[in-house]
């Protein structure tokens, strides 16, 4: 005999004494006409009675005195260990602030100690009126470099040396020749210069 | 030092006194927690004994529950009875204990040693060892049935039928809604109803 599928929950809650009054009346009415549900309810009541009687049995607990003697030092040790953090007991939301602060410090540290990218190459970006590759090479006094076409009408000048001082001296020399000031520059990033 | 701040209302209902002590403990008063623990520990050991069946283990479980209770006192909400809340912790400690027991190597059977259950049976009731043995067998079957439930279902079944708590108090102790407690109760009882060994116990009980 199987209970009705839509009444199983109500039967279990009825056993646990957790059914509202109206639902209880409804299930009692149903039980009068349904043998399967009656049988299932009897099983559930039997289980509940077993659990309750198991929970209510008399147990010898003289040894609880041992417990009192035993756990107190451990509890006190635990109390002294956690005493510095009592403020977080009282204000548990402070824990979030602590975690946030820790994450922030870790992020700052990670960024700070990140190895900085090294420039792989320096470039001089030459605008017109230099009109050709040969003219650019002449302007640069034949310094060892690779010359490539940039976005028209510009030229890219890639010095072979990555020595910043040498490149700066060369740019100064070219600026003087063309009577234009040399740009300021930064070695950390890929550069473009116009003069 | 024993505390004697009991109000007349608290003398009538020890739960009021326990709640007050827990609230003082939440404010950082260790002695208040100590006093509450002294009141609650015998009942806690009793519940632990029902769960694990061994006195020594029950003492360990209760002690660990109290330590964890102190450590997590900020999570206690006044809607729940302190004892119910501690029982919730006890069930978690019991779950950890079950897990450790699963990992423990199997002890070899010593045929020369007298079985422990026999000594316990005779000690429990020397005049009616049969009845005592039946009770112990029933206890073992019930404990085993509870252990086979999932943690969530075991919590609500235990707190409802062993601790005899109201649904609202169980919900407050476990930090969930009453609807969730009802749902877990339903599933827990359904699983128990599906265990054949419990049907035998029910029949025995009906016959007696």
């Amino acid at each position: 005999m199987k209970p009705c599928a839509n009444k199983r929950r109500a039967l279990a809650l009825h056993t646990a004494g957790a059914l509202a009054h109206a639902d209880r009346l409804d299930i009692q009415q149903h039980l009068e006409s349904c043998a399967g549900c009656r049988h299932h309810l009897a099983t559930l009541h039997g289980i509940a009675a077993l659990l309750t009687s198991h929970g209510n049995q008399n147990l010898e607990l003289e040894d609880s005195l041992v417990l009192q003697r035993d756990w107190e030092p451990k509890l006190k040790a635990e109390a002294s260990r956690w005493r510095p953090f009592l403020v977080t007991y009282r204000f548990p939301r402070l824990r979030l602030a602590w975690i946030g602060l820790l994450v922030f410090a870790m992020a700052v540290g990670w960024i700070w100690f990140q190895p900085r990218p090294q420039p792989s190459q320096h470039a001089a970006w030459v605008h017109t009126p230099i009109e050709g590759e040969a003219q650019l090479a002449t302007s640069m006094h034949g310094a060892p470099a690779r010359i490539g076409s940039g976005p028209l009408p510009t030229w890219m000048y890639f010095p072979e040396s990555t020595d910043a001082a040498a490149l700066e001296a060369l740019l100064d020399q070219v600026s003087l020749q063309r009577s234009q000031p040399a740009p300021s520059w930064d070695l950390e990033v890929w550069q473009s210069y116009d003069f | 030092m024993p505390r004697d701040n009991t109000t007349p209302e608290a003398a009538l209902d020890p739960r009021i006194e326990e709640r007050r002590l827990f609230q003082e403990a939440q404010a950082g008063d260790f002695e208040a927690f100590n006093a509450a623990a002294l009141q609650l520990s015998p009942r806690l050991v009793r519940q632990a004994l029902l769960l694990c069946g061994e006195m020594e283990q029950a003492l360990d479980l209760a002690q660990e529950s109290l330590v964890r209770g102190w450590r997590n006192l900020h999570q206690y909400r006044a809607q729940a009875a302190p004892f119910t809340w501690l029982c919730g912790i006890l069930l978690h400690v019991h779950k950890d204990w079950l897990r450790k027991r699963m990992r423990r190597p199997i002890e070899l059977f010593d045929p020369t040693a007298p079985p422990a259950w026999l000594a316990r049976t005779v000690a429990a009731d020397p005049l009616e060892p049969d009845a005592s043995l039946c009770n112990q067998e029933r206890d073992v079957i019930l404990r085993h049935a509870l252990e086979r439930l999932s943690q969530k279902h075991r919590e609500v079944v235990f707190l409802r039928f062993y601790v005899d708590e109201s649904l609202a108090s169980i919900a407050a102790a476990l930090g969930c809604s009453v609807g969730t407690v009802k749902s877990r109760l339903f599933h827990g009882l359904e699983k128990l109803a599906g265990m054949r060994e419990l049907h035998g116990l029910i029949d025995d009980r009906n016959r007696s």
Side-chain angles (χ1 to χ4, degrees):
Chain A
M1 280 184 293
K2 283 191 172 180
C4 305
N6 60 343
K7 298 290 179 190
R8 291 182 88 109
R9 185 181 166 91
L11 291 172
L13 294 181
H14 185 273
T15 308
L19 214 54
H21 182 66
D23 295 333
R24 199 162 58 236
L25 290 178
D26 184 43
I27 198 74
Q28 278 167 356
Q29 200 173 3
H30 172 76
L31 283 168
E32 286 171 11
S33 60
C34 182
C37 285
R38 271 202 306 274
H39 182 257
H40 190 60
L41 185 66
T43 307
L44 290 173
H45 272 309
I47 288 168
L50 277 174
L51 295 173
T52 309
S53 67
H54 186 217
N56 289 338
Q57 64 179 301
N58 289 322
L59 298 168
E60 298 295 328
L61 282 179
E62 299 90 350
D63 287 350
S64 63
L65 293 171
V66 177
L67 174 80
Q68 289 171 13
R69 196 178 61 227
D70 228 3
W71 59 257
E72 226 177 287
K74 189 169 182 188
L75 206 53
K76 277 186 175 157
E78 193 72 15
S80 60
R81 187 151 68 97
W82 288 83
R83 200 172 287 277
F85 301 104
L86 270 181
V87 66
T88 56
Y89 277 143
R90 290 180 202 171
F91 308 106
R93 283 185 187 175
L94 275 182
R95 285 184 174 186
L96 281 178
W98 277 111
I99 292 168
L101 197 65
L102 188 69
V103 169
F104 178 74
M106 283 170 72
V108 167
W110 186 76
I111 291 166
W112 187 260
F113 291 108
Q114 185 87 341
R116 297 183 179 194
Q118 295 299 316
S120 57
Q121 200 165 19
H122 303 291
W125 189 305
V126 184
H127 283 283
T128 50
I130 296 173
E131 289 173 357
E133 195 174 333
Q135 194 182 346
L136 177 62
T138 312
S139 300
M140 292 299 184
H141 304 281
R146 185 167 59 80
I147 294 172
S149 56
L152 288 175
T154 60
W155 294 93
M156 297 294 286
Y157 178 80
F158 300 97
E160 279 180 6
S161 167
T162 55
D163 181 8
L167 183 60
E168 195 166 9
L170 182 67
L171 290 171
D172 283 345
Q173 206 175 355
V174 175
S175 311
L176 274 174
Q177 192 188 23
R178 304 193 69 78
S179 307
Q180 285 180 16
S184 62
W185 69 326
D186 186 357
L187 282 177
E188 297 295 326
V189 290
W190 180 279
Q191 303 291 338
S192 70
Y193 297 95
D194 53 314
F195 52 89
Chain B
M1 186 183 287
R3 303 168 68 92
D4 193 18
N5 303 333
T6 315
T7 58
E9 297 85 16
L12 289 173
D13 186 356
R15 286 185 175 197
I16 295 173
E17 173 68 359
E18 287 160 11
R19 277 205 171 93
R20 188 184 63 76
L21 288 171
F22 258 54
Q23 278 161 3
E24 284 178 19
Q26 273 190 313
D29 185 355
F30 172 71
E31 289 304 324
F33 185 77
N34 202 11
L38 272 173
Q39 286 183 21
L40 296 170
S41 58
R43 278 191 284 159
L44 200 62
V45 176
R46 188 177 183 286
Q47 299 300 340
L49 188 55
L50 290 170
L51 279 172
C52 69
E54 295 170 28
M55 192 63 201
E56 203 174 318
Q57 282 302 332
L59 291 170
D60 283 350
L61 293 184
Q63 174 178 300
E64 183 59 26
S65 306
L66 288 169
V67 169
R68 284 198 201 177
W70 167 252
R71 208 180 287 166
N72 297 304
L73 201 55
H74 61 278
Q75 291 175 355
Y76 170 73
R77 298 285 172 268
Q79 291 91 340
F83 180 65
T84 314
W85 183 73
L86 279 175
C87 279
I89 295 176
L90 173 70
L91 285 159
H92 280 279
V93 176
H94 175 248
K95 182 186 74 176
D96 295 344
W97 175 73
L98 285 178
R99 207 178 286 156
K100 277 182 197 163
R101 198 181 62 175
M102 292 281 284
R103 286 202 294 262
R104 203 168 54 187
I106 299 164
E107 288 168 15
L108 290 175
F109 174 65
D110 180 6
T112 58
W117 60 265
L118 184 60
R120 278 204 301 273
T121 305
V122 175
D125 195 348
L127 297 177
E128 284 189 68
D130 281 355
S132 184
L133 190 62
C134 283
N135 283 342
Q136 283 193 22
E137 190 186 351
R138 182 202 63 180
D139 291 355
V140 169
I141 291 173
L142 281 173
R143 262 200 302 278
H144 184 61
L146 275 179
E147 285 170 13
R148 282 168 61 193
L149 292 180
S150 71
Q151 174 68 14
K152 286 176 179 174
H153 297 157
R154 186 163 54 233
E155 277 174 354
V156 290
V157 168
F158 186 83
L159 292 175
R160 183 72 192 98
F161 294 106
Y162 282 70
V163 185
D164 196 20
E165 267 304 338
S166 67
L167 298 192
S169 186
I170 295 172
L174 299 180
C176 58
S177 67
V178 173
T180 307
V181 172
K182 282 183 180 179
S183 176
R184 289 178 187 174
L185 256 179
F186 160 57
H187 288 294
L189 281 173
E190 282 289 311
K191 280 184 185 166
L192 287 172
M195 294 180 190
R196 302 302 306 172
E197 62 269 32
L198 291 185
H199 288 236
L201 287 183
I202 295 168
D203 292 342
D204 290 347
R205 188 184 163 82
N206 289 341
R207 271 198 296 273
S208 65

